[in-house]
mmCIF file of all heavy atoms in Angstrom:
data_model
loop_
_atom_site.group_PDB
_atom_site.id
_atom_site.type_symbol
_atom_site.label_atom_id
_atom_site.label_comp_id
_atom_site.label_asym_id
_atom_site.label_seq_id
_atom_site.Cartn_x
_atom_site.Cartn_y
_atom_site.Cartn_z
ATOM 1 N N ALA I 217 41.322 -19.185 13.021
ATOM 2 C CA ALA I 217 40.028 -19.650 12.387
ATOM 3 C C ALA I 217 39.854 -18.998 11.000
ATOM 4 O O ALA I 217 39.978 -17.731 10.901
ATOM 5 C CB ALA I 217 38.941 -19.283 13.340
ATOM 6 N N LYS I 218 39.550 -19.845 10.036
ATOM 7 C CA LYS I 218 39.345 -19.358 8.664
ATOM 8 C C LYS I 218 37.929 -18.845 8.584
ATOM 9 O O LYS I 218 36.980 -19.425 9.118
ATOM 10 C CB LYS I 218 39.582 -20.491 7.662
ATOM 11 C CG LYS I 218 40.988 -20.827 7.504
ATOM 12 C CD LYS I 218 41.141 -21.938 6.461
ATOM 13 C CE LYS I 218 42.593 -22.338 6.343
ATOM 14 N NZ LYS I 218 42.737 -23.447 5.341
ATOM 15 N N LYS I 219 37.785 -17.700 7.905
ATOM 16 C CA LYS I 219 36.454 -17.099 7.736
ATOM 17 C C LYS I 219 35.786 -17.863 6.510
ATOM 18 O O LYS I 219 36.451 -17.937 5.402
ATOM 19 C CB LYS I 219 36.545 -15.668 7.495
ATOM 20 C CG LYS I 219 36.885 -14.861 8.703
ATOM 21 C CD LYS I 219 36.800 -13.369 8.384
ATOM 22 C CE LYS I 219 37.070 -12.530 9.657
ATOM 23 N NZ LYS I 219 37.125 -11.085 9.348
ATOM 24 N N LYS I 220 34.547 -18.338 6.728
ATOM 25 C CA LYS I 220 33.839 -19.001 5.609
ATOM 26 C C LYS I 220 33.178 -17.895 4.724
ATOM 27 O O LYS I 220 32.582 -16.939 5.248
ATOM 28 C CB LYS I 220 32.752 -19.928 6.194
ATOM 29 C CG LYS I 220 33.275 -21.170 6.869
ATOM 30 C CD LYS I 220 32.122 -22.019 7.362
ATOM 31 C CE LYS I 220 32.680 -23.288 7.984
ATOM 32 N NZ LYS I 220 31.571 -24.130 8.516
ATOM 33 N N PRO I 221 33.297 -18.091 3.410
ATOM 34 C CA PRO I 221 32.771 -17.066 2.510
ATOM 35 C C PRO I 221 31.254 -17.189 2.592
ATOM 36 O O PRO I 221 30.654 -18.265 2.564
ATOM 37 C CB PRO I 221 33.269 -17.513 1.121
ATOM 38 C CG PRO I 221 33.584 -18.942 1.249
ATOM 39 C CD PRO I 221 34.030 -19.168 2.677
ATOM 40 N N GLU I 222 30.624 -16.066 2.748
ATOM 41 C CA GLU I 222 29.158 -16.015 2.889
ATOM 42 C C GLU I 222 28.520 -16.300 1.520
ATOM 43 O O GLU I 222 28.948 -15.721 0.483
ATOM 44 C CB GLU I 222 28.702 -14.607 3.379
ATOM 45 C CG GLU I 222 29.067 -14.401 4.844
ATOM 46 C CD GLU I 222 28.615 -13.014 5.316
ATOM 47 O OE1 GLU I 222 27.929 -12.318 4.551
ATOM 48 O OE2 GLU I 222 28.840 -12.712 6.444
ATOM 49 N N LYS I 223 27.487 -17.104 1.561
ATOM 50 C CA LYS I 223 26.718 -17.450 0.336
ATOM 51 C C LYS I 223 25.808 -16.316 -0.053
ATOM 52 O O LYS I 223 25.159 -15.709 0.754
ATOM 53 C CB LYS I 223 25.840 -18.729 0.522
ATOM 54 C CG LYS I 223 26.610 -20.016 0.579
ATOM 55 C CD LYS I 223 25.706 -21.185 0.694
ATOM 56 C CE LYS I 223 26.545 -22.505 0.691
ATOM 57 N NZ LYS I 223 25.650 -23.669 0.793
ATOM 58 N N VAL I 224 25.871 -16.058 -1.342
ATOM 59 C CA VAL I 224 24.999 -14.995 -1.881
ATOM 60 C C VAL I 224 23.632 -15.504 -2.099
ATOM 61 O O VAL I 224 23.493 -16.459 -2.911
ATOM 62 C CB VAL I 224 25.620 -14.415 -3.211
ATOM 63 C CG1 VAL I 224 24.752 -13.275 -3.764
ATOM 64 C CG2 VAL I 224 27.047 -13.882 -3.013
ATOM 65 N N VAL I 225 22.657 -15.019 -1.372
ATOM 66 C CA VAL I 225 21.322 -15.480 -1.498
ATOM 67 C C VAL I 225 20.556 -14.565 -2.416
ATOM 68 O O VAL I 225 20.576 -13.319 -2.269
ATOM 69 C CB VAL I 225 20.606 -15.504 -0.098
ATOM 70 C CG1 VAL I 225 19.161 -16.003 -0.220
ATOM 71 C CG2 VAL I 225 21.404 -16.337 0.855
ATOM 72 N N ASN I 226 19.878 -15.263 -3.436
ATOM 73 C CA ASN I 226 19.070 -14.489 -4.393
ATOM 74 C C ASN I 226 17.712 -14.232 -3.750
ATOM 75 O O ASN I 226 16.984 -15.165 -3.396
ATOM 76 C CB ASN I 226 18.909 -15.286 -5.667
ATOM 77 C CG ASN I 226 18.374 -14.468 -6.824
ATOM 78 O OD1 ASN I 226 17.739 -13.462 -6.589
ATOM 79 N ND2 ASN I 226 18.647 -14.899 -8.014
ATOM 80 N N PRO I 227 17.289 -12.999 -3.594
ATOM 81 C CA PRO I 227 16.049 -12.734 -2.979
ATOM 82 C C PRO I 227 14.846 -13.196 -3.760
ATOM 83 O O PRO I 227 13.700 -13.323 -3.247
ATOM 84 C CB PRO I 227 16.070 -11.213 -2.757
ATOM 85 C CG PRO I 227 16.993 -10.704 -3.841
ATOM 86 C CD PRO I 227 18.046 -11.764 -3.985
ATOM 87 N N LEU I 228 15.016 -13.404 -5.082
ATOM 88 C CA LEU I 228 13.904 -13.846 -5.940
ATOM 89 C C LEU I 228 13.512 -15.301 -5.633
ATOM 90 O O LEU I 228 12.408 -15.747 -5.847
ATOM 91 C CB LEU I 228 14.265 -13.687 -7.394
ATOM 92 C CG LEU I 228 14.487 -12.218 -7.825
ATOM 93 C CD1 LEU I 228 15.005 -12.194 -9.295
ATOM 94 C CD2 LEU I 228 13.172 -11.404 -7.786
ATOM 95 N N PHE I 229 14.579 -16.140 -5.327
ATOM 96 C CA PHE I 229 14.320 -17.566 -5.121
ATOM 97 C C PHE I 229 14.435 -17.857 -3.607
ATOM 98 O O PHE I 229 15.537 -18.022 -3.101
ATOM 99 C CB PHE I 229 15.331 -18.334 -5.902
ATOM 100 C CG PHE I 229 15.228 -18.136 -7.410
ATOM 101 C CD1 PHE I 229 16.141 -17.414 -8.010
ATOM 102 C CD2 PHE I 229 14.136 -18.646 -8.137
ATOM 103 C CE1 PHE I 229 16.139 -17.082 -9.382
ATOM 104 C CE2 PHE I 229 14.096 -18.455 -9.480
ATOM 105 C CZ PHE I 229 15.047 -17.614 -10.083
ATOM 106 N N GLU I 230 13.279 -17.919 -2.938
ATOM 107 C CA GLU I 230 13.309 -18.200 -1.510
ATOM 108 C C GLU I 230 13.301 -19.702 -1.258
ATOM 109 O O GLU I 230 12.569 -20.445 -1.963
ATOM 110 C CB GLU I 230 12.097 -17.513 -0.873
ATOM 111 C CG GLU I 230 12.130 -17.460 0.609
ATOM 112 C CD GLU I 230 10.947 -16.808 1.223
ATOM 113 O OE1 GLU I 230 10.266 -16.023 0.550
ATOM 114 O OE2 GLU I 230 10.558 -17.111 2.357
ATOM 115 N N LYS I 231 14.064 -20.193 -0.301
ATOM 116 C CA LYS I 231 14.122 -21.587 -0.034
ATOM 117 C C LYS I 231 12.922 -21.973 0.871
ATOM 118 O O LYS I 231 12.711 -21.448 1.904
ATOM 119 C CB LYS I 231 15.370 -21.910 0.724
ATOM 120 C CG LYS I 231 15.757 -23.447 0.784
ATOM 121 C CD LYS I 231 17.086 -23.627 1.427
ATOM 122 C CE LYS I 231 17.448 -25.094 1.446
ATOM 123 N NZ LYS I 231 18.672 -25.366 2.155
ATOM 124 N N ARG I 232 12.134 -22.917 0.359
ATOM 125 C CA ARG I 232 10.972 -23.404 1.085
ATOM 126 C C ARG I 232 11.046 -24.903 1.246
ATOM 127 O O ARG I 232 10.493 -25.621 0.378
ATOM 128 C CB ARG I 232 9.675 -23.005 0.399
ATOM 129 C CG ARG I 232 9.433 -21.535 0.245
ATOM 130 C CD ARG I 232 8.011 -21.274 -0.150
ATOM 131 N NE ARG I 232 7.867 -19.936 -0.570
ATOM 132 C CZ ARG I 232 7.988 -19.419 -1.827
ATOM 133 N NH1 ARG I 232 8.282 -20.260 -2.772
ATOM 134 N NH2 ARG I 232 7.802 -18.159 -2.073
ATOM 135 N N PRO I 233 11.666 -25.442 2.258
ATOM 136 C CA PRO I 233 11.826 -26.856 2.396
ATOM 137 C C PRO I 233 10.374 -27.508 2.711
ATOM 138 O O PRO I 233 9.639 -26.941 3.415
ATOM 139 C CB PRO I 233 12.750 -27.104 3.625
ATOM 140 C CG PRO I 233 12.700 -25.816 4.326
ATOM 141 C CD PRO I 233 12.382 -24.718 3.334
ATOM 142 N N LYS I 234 10.122 -28.684 2.128
ATOM 143 C CA LYS I 234 8.839 -29.295 2.320
ATOM 144 C C LYS I 234 8.820 -30.056 3.659
ATOM 145 O O LYS I 234 9.774 -30.645 4.081
ATOM 146 C CB LYS I 234 8.549 -30.349 1.179
ATOM 147 C CG LYS I 234 8.169 -29.653 -0.105
ATOM 148 C CD LYS I 234 7.851 -30.739 -1.152
ATOM 149 C CE LYS I 234 7.440 -30.028 -2.424
ATOM 150 N NZ LYS I 234 7.115 -31.056 -3.461
ATOM 151 N N GLN I 235 7.622 -29.983 4.249
ATOM 152 C CA GLN I 235 7.406 -30.723 5.497
ATOM 153 C C GLN I 235 6.515 -31.904 5.188
ATOM 154 O O GLN I 235 5.341 -31.778 4.825
ATOM 155 C CB GLN I 235 6.759 -29.836 6.526
ATOM 156 C CG GLN I 235 7.613 -28.637 6.967
ATOM 157 C CD GLN I 235 8.859 -28.989 7.646
ATOM 158 O OE1 GLN I 235 8.893 -29.958 8.449
ATOM 159 N NE2 GLN I 235 9.980 -28.246 7.447
ATOM 160 N N PHE I 236 6.996 -33.183 5.368
ATOM 161 C CA PHE I 236 6.246 -34.353 5.039
ATOM 162 C C PHE I 236 5.482 -34.926 6.226
ATOM 163 O O PHE I 236 5.135 -36.049 6.267
ATOM 164 C CB PHE I 236 7.170 -35.431 4.493
ATOM 165 C CG PHE I 236 7.860 -35.040 3.171
ATOM 166 C CD1 PHE I 236 9.128 -34.880 3.030
ATOM 167 C CD2 PHE I 236 7.051 -34.747 2.016
ATOM 168 C CE1 PHE I 236 9.741 -34.544 1.850
ATOM 169 C CE2 PHE I 236 7.601 -34.387 0.868
ATOM 170 C CZ PHE I 236 8.943 -34.282 0.742
ATOM 171 N N GLY I 237 5.180 -34.114 7.222
ATOM 172 C CA GLY I 237 4.435 -34.622 8.351
ATOM 173 C C GLY I 237 2.983 -34.702 8.061
ATOM 174 O O GLY I 237 2.518 -34.565 6.939
ATOM 175 N N ILE I 238 2.180 -35.007 9.100
ATOM 176 C CA ILE I 238 0.739 -35.158 8.958
ATOM 177 C C ILE I 238 0.168 -33.826 8.652
ATOM 178 O O ILE I 238 0.425 -32.803 9.292
ATOM 179 C CB ILE I 238 0.072 -35.743 10.263
ATOM 180 C CG1 ILE I 238 0.539 -37.126 10.476
ATOM 181 C CG2 ILE I 238 -1.509 -35.686 10.138
ATOM 182 C CD1 ILE I 238 0.240 -37.694 11.879
ATOM 183 N N GLY I 239 -0.630 -33.821 7.579
ATOM 184 C CA GLY I 239 -1.247 -32.534 7.061
ATOM 185 C C GLY I 239 -0.245 -31.680 6.294
ATOM 186 O O GLY I 239 -0.597 -30.575 5.856
ATOM 187 N N GLY I 240 0.933 -32.188 6.006
ATOM 188 C CA GLY I 240 1.982 -31.402 5.291
ATOM 189 C C GLY I 240 1.912 -31.776 3.782
ATOM 190 O O GLY I 240 0.866 -32.180 3.211
ATOM 191 N N ALA I 241 3.067 -31.640 3.178
ATOM 192 C CA ALA I 241 3.182 -31.918 1.741
ATOM 193 C C ALA I 241 3.097 -33.392 1.464
ATOM 194 O O ALA I 241 3.387 -34.286 2.339
ATOM 195 C CB ALA I 241 4.573 -31.360 1.217
ATOM 196 N N LEU I 242 2.581 -33.716 0.242
ATOM 197 C CA LEU I 242 2.502 -35.110 -0.143
ATOM 198 C C LEU I 242 3.890 -35.684 -0.453
ATOM 199 O O LEU I 242 4.652 -35.060 -1.112
ATOM 200 C CB LEU I 242 1.636 -35.280 -1.428
ATOM 201 C CG LEU I 242 0.136 -34.951 -1.223
ATOM 202 C CD1 LEU I 242 -0.569 -34.829 -2.558
ATOM 203 C CD2 LEU I 242 -0.547 -36.005 -0.368
ATOM 204 N N PRO I 243 4.163 -36.907 0.052
ATOM 205 C CA PRO I 243 5.467 -37.511 -0.207
ATOM 206 C C PRO I 243 5.646 -37.871 -1.691
ATOM 207 O O PRO I 243 4.619 -38.069 -2.387
ATOM 208 C CB PRO I 243 5.500 -38.771 0.641
ATOM 209 C CG PRO I 243 4.064 -39.088 0.900
ATOM 210 C CD PRO I 243 3.339 -37.804 0.840
ATOM 211 N N PRO I 244 6.896 -37.953 -2.205
ATOM 212 C CA PRO I 244 7.099 -38.345 -3.626
ATOM 213 C C PRO I 244 6.631 -39.735 -3.848
ATOM 214 O O PRO I 244 6.660 -40.598 -3.051
ATOM 215 C CB PRO I 244 8.598 -38.236 -3.771
ATOM 216 C CG PRO I 244 9.205 -38.229 -2.432
ATOM 217 C CD PRO I 244 8.162 -37.647 -1.527
ATOM 218 N N LYS I 245 6.128 -40.028 -5.106
ATOM 219 C CA LYS I 245 5.609 -41.321 -5.425
ATOM 220 C C LYS I 245 6.649 -42.369 -5.443
ATOM 221 O O LYS I 245 7.726 -42.159 -6.033
ATOM 222 C CB LYS I 245 4.858 -41.234 -6.745
ATOM 223 C CG LYS I 245 3.510 -40.569 -6.712
ATOM 224 C CD LYS I 245 2.789 -40.667 -8.017
ATOM 225 C CE LYS I 245 1.454 -39.998 -7.859
ATOM 226 N NZ LYS I 245 0.656 -39.984 -9.186
ATOM 227 N N LYS I 246 6.350 -43.524 -4.849
ATOM 228 C CA LYS I 246 7.283 -44.652 -4.874
ATOM 229 C C LYS I 246 6.717 -45.732 -5.758
ATOM 230 O O LYS I 246 5.474 -45.819 -6.064
ATOM 231 C CB LYS I 246 7.413 -45.183 -3.473
ATOM 232 C CG LYS I 246 8.161 -44.282 -2.489
ATOM 233 C CD LYS I 246 8.257 -44.883 -1.131
ATOM 234 C CE LYS I 246 8.933 -43.998 -0.142
ATOM 235 N NZ LYS I 246 8.932 -44.570 1.189
ATOM 236 N N ASP I 247 7.672 -46.613 -6.306
ATOM 237 C CA ASP I 247 7.206 -47.799 -7.021
ATOM 238 C C ASP I 247 6.788 -48.878 -6.106
ATOM 239 O O ASP I 247 7.611 -49.546 -5.464
ATOM 240 C CB ASP I 247 8.349 -48.208 -7.962
ATOM 241 C CG ASP I 247 7.896 -49.393 -8.789
ATOM 242 O OD1 ASP I 247 6.655 -49.602 -8.974
ATOM 243 O OD2 ASP I 247 8.802 -50.067 -9.398
ATOM 244 N N LEU I 248 5.464 -49.059 -5.942
ATOM 245 C CA LEU I 248 4.919 -50.037 -4.988
ATOM 246 C C LEU I 248 4.513 -51.326 -5.643
ATOM 247 O O LEU I 248 3.680 -52.109 -5.196
ATOM 248 C CB LEU I 248 3.664 -49.484 -4.333
ATOM 249 C CG LEU I 248 3.877 -48.120 -3.583
ATOM 250 C CD1 LEU I 248 2.587 -47.606 -3.062
ATOM 251 C CD2 LEU I 248 4.863 -48.376 -2.334
ATOM 252 N N HIS I 249 5.106 -51.612 -6.851
ATOM 253 C CA HIS I 249 4.792 -52.797 -7.664
ATOM 254 C C HIS I 249 4.968 -54.089 -6.905
ATOM 255 O O HIS I 249 4.164 -54.946 -7.035
ATOM 256 C CB HIS I 249 5.684 -52.734 -8.923
ATOM 257 C CG HIS I 249 5.341 -53.824 -9.914
ATOM 258 N ND1 HIS I 249 5.921 -55.043 -9.969
ATOM 259 C CD2 HIS I 249 4.431 -53.738 -10.964
ATOM 260 C CE1 HIS I 249 5.384 -55.672 -10.918
ATOM 261 N NE2 HIS I 249 4.489 -54.980 -11.570
ATOM 262 N N ARG I 250 6.102 -54.116 -6.143
ATOM 263 C CA ARG I 250 6.374 -55.338 -5.425
ATOM 264 C C ARG I 250 5.503 -55.600 -4.185
ATOM 265 O O ARG I 250 5.412 -56.658 -3.651
ATOM 266 C CB ARG I 250 7.785 -55.370 -4.937
ATOM 267 C CG ARG I 250 8.825 -55.583 -6.114
ATOM 268 C CD ARG I 250 10.217 -55.552 -5.584
ATOM 269 N NE ARG I 250 10.522 -56.634 -4.624
ATOM 270 C CZ ARG I 250 10.883 -57.851 -4.969
ATOM 271 N NH1 ARG I 250 10.925 -58.163 -6.177
ATOM 272 N NH2 ARG I 250 11.098 -58.713 -4.017
ATOM 273 N N PHE I 251 4.791 -54.493 -3.751
ATOM 274 C CA PHE I 251 3.966 -54.651 -2.496
ATOM 275 C C PHE I 251 2.465 -54.858 -2.811
ATOM 276 O O PHE I 251 1.699 -54.963 -1.906
ATOM 277 C CB PHE I 251 4.118 -53.361 -1.687
ATOM 278 C CG PHE I 251 5.611 -53.031 -1.313
ATOM 279 C CD1 PHE I 251 6.333 -52.130 -2.033
ATOM 280 C CD2 PHE I 251 6.214 -53.749 -0.290
ATOM 281 C CE1 PHE I 251 7.619 -51.822 -1.737
ATOM 282 C CE2 PHE I 251 7.536 -53.536 -0.010
ATOM 283 C CZ PHE I 251 8.228 -52.529 -0.750
ATOM 284 N N VAL I 252 2.137 -54.850 -4.125
ATOM 285 C CA VAL I 252 0.764 -55.073 -4.528
ATOM 286 C C VAL I 252 0.366 -56.475 -4.358
ATOM 287 O O VAL I 252 1.130 -57.388 -4.639
ATOM 288 C CB VAL I 252 0.566 -54.651 -5.979
ATOM 289 C CG1 VAL I 252 -0.892 -54.903 -6.428
ATOM 290 C CG2 VAL I 252 0.859 -53.110 -6.245
ATOM 291 N N LYS I 253 -0.852 -56.711 -3.789
ATOM 292 C CA LYS I 253 -1.347 -58.077 -3.680
ATOM 293 C C LYS I 253 -2.157 -58.305 -4.958
ATOM 294 O O LYS I 253 -3.298 -57.903 -5.111
ATOM 295 C CB LYS I 253 -2.234 -58.222 -2.446
ATOM 296 C CG LYS I 253 -2.584 -59.740 -2.262
ATOM 297 C CD LYS I 253 -3.343 -59.929 -0.948
ATOM 298 C CE LYS I 253 -3.596 -61.487 -0.760
ATOM 299 N NZ LYS I 253 -4.364 -61.717 0.433
ATOM 300 N N TRP I 254 -1.523 -59.093 -5.868
ATOM 301 C CA TRP I 254 -2.098 -59.245 -7.215
ATOM 302 C C TRP I 254 -3.161 -60.357 -7.106
ATOM 303 O O TRP I 254 -3.065 -61.211 -6.232
ATOM 304 C CB TRP I 254 -1.041 -59.734 -8.197
ATOM 305 C CG TRP I 254 -0.029 -58.684 -8.457
ATOM 306 C CD1 TRP I 254 1.226 -58.536 -7.876
ATOM 307 C CD2 TRP I 254 -0.177 -57.565 -9.338
ATOM 308 N NE1 TRP I 254 1.817 -57.397 -8.372
ATOM 309 C CE2 TRP I 254 1.060 -56.789 -9.255
ATOM 310 C CE3 TRP I 254 -1.164 -57.118 -10.192
ATOM 311 C CZ2 TRP I 254 1.226 -55.593 -9.982
ATOM 312 C CZ3 TRP I 254 -0.974 -55.931 -10.903
ATOM 313 C CH2 TRP I 254 0.217 -55.240 -10.812
ATOM 314 N N PRO I 255 -4.118 -60.314 -8.041
ATOM 315 C CA PRO I 255 -5.206 -61.402 -8.013
ATOM 316 C C PRO I 255 -4.575 -62.742 -8.236
ATOM 317 O O PRO I 255 -3.484 -62.907 -8.782
ATOM 318 C CB PRO I 255 -6.051 -61.011 -9.200
ATOM 319 C CG PRO I 255 -5.755 -59.567 -9.474
ATOM 320 C CD PRO I 255 -4.384 -59.348 -9.021
ATOM 321 N N LYS I 256 -5.227 -63.794 -7.761
ATOM 322 C CA LYS I 256 -4.778 -65.151 -7.753
ATOM 323 C C LYS I 256 -4.461 -65.591 -9.229
ATOM 324 O O LYS I 256 -3.452 -66.256 -9.496
ATOM 325 C CB LYS I 256 -5.770 -66.077 -7.170
ATOM 326 C CG LYS I 256 -5.240 -67.441 -6.762
ATOM 327 C CD LYS I 256 -4.333 -67.374 -5.510
ATOM 328 C CE LYS I 256 -3.869 -68.749 -5.178
ATOM 329 N NZ LYS I 256 -2.841 -68.671 -4.072
#
């Protein structure tokens, strides 16, 4: 078994993954142009 080289983690930059659940982070903006119900 080959030993995987350990990643060097910088303590200054902590990884904080976003949670897009209810009450969590806001999702990224999408282009909703095609879904808009335009006036007649």
Side-chain angles (χ1 to χ4, degrees):
K218 289 180 182 178
K219 286 184 179 180
K220 289 181 181 178
E222 290 181 3
K223 284 184 180 178
V224 180
V225 180
N226 193 339
L228 295 173
F229 301 103
E230 193 180 335
K231 195 177 181 183
R232 296 192 193 94
K234 286 185 178 180
Q235 299 294 325
F236 295 118
I238 295 165
L242 292 169
K245 285 186 178 179
K246 291 179 183 178
D247 183 17
L248 303 173
H249 188 269
R250 287 178 64 82
F251 305 101
V252 176
K253 189 173 183 183
W254 296 98
K256 196 75 177 172

